[in-house]
Amino acid sequence: MPQFVEVPPQRLQPGVLRALLEEYASRDGTDYGEREVSLQTKVDNLQAQLARRDLCILFEAESAQWDLLPREQAVALLQQ
């Protein structure tokens, strides 16, 4: 079973955090419907959600993969 670790955003260098958020915001399935939203706006929204602790950065060491998850979902994975 995968073991996840929460990565506090402030522990990442600003450039690394920005790259992570840009990569996430540009993934397939992150469109905003009929209206066009800039990458900068998406990144700003993600940063705000991280600051409010609505989102968490989780890292899974065995696969060396990370993801942004809603807090409730992240807490559930961390408790497994």
Side-chain angles (χ1 to χ4, degrees):
M1 176 178 281
Q3 293 294 315
F4 295 94
V5 175
E6 182 175 359
V7 180
Q10 62 272 19
R11 299 279 315 263
L12 299 174
Q13 294 179 358
V16 171
L17 178 60
R18 174 141 186 105
L20 182 145
L21 296 176
E22 286 179 353
E23 190 276 327
Y24 184 85
S26 62
R27 288 181 184 176
D28 289 340
T30 59
D31 62 10
Y32 284 68
E34 293 184 20
R35 64 185 175 116
E36 188 66 28
V37 176
S38 72
L39 180 60
Q40 181 63 50
T41 299
K42 291 178 182 180
V43 168
D44 290 346
N45 288 337
L46 290 169
Q47 283 183 314
Q49 291 177 63
L50 284 170
R52 288 191 310 266
R53 298 187 47 107
D54 293 340
L55 282 181
C56 296
I57 302 170
L58 291 190
F59 180 75
E60 199 280 305
E62 188 173 314
S63 66
Q65 296 199 19
W66 65 272
D67 207 353
L68 288 177
L69 296 171
R71 169 134 318 269
E72 289 180 10
Q73 188 177 355
V75 167
L77 284 173
L78 291 167
Q79 291 177 347
Q80 290 183 357

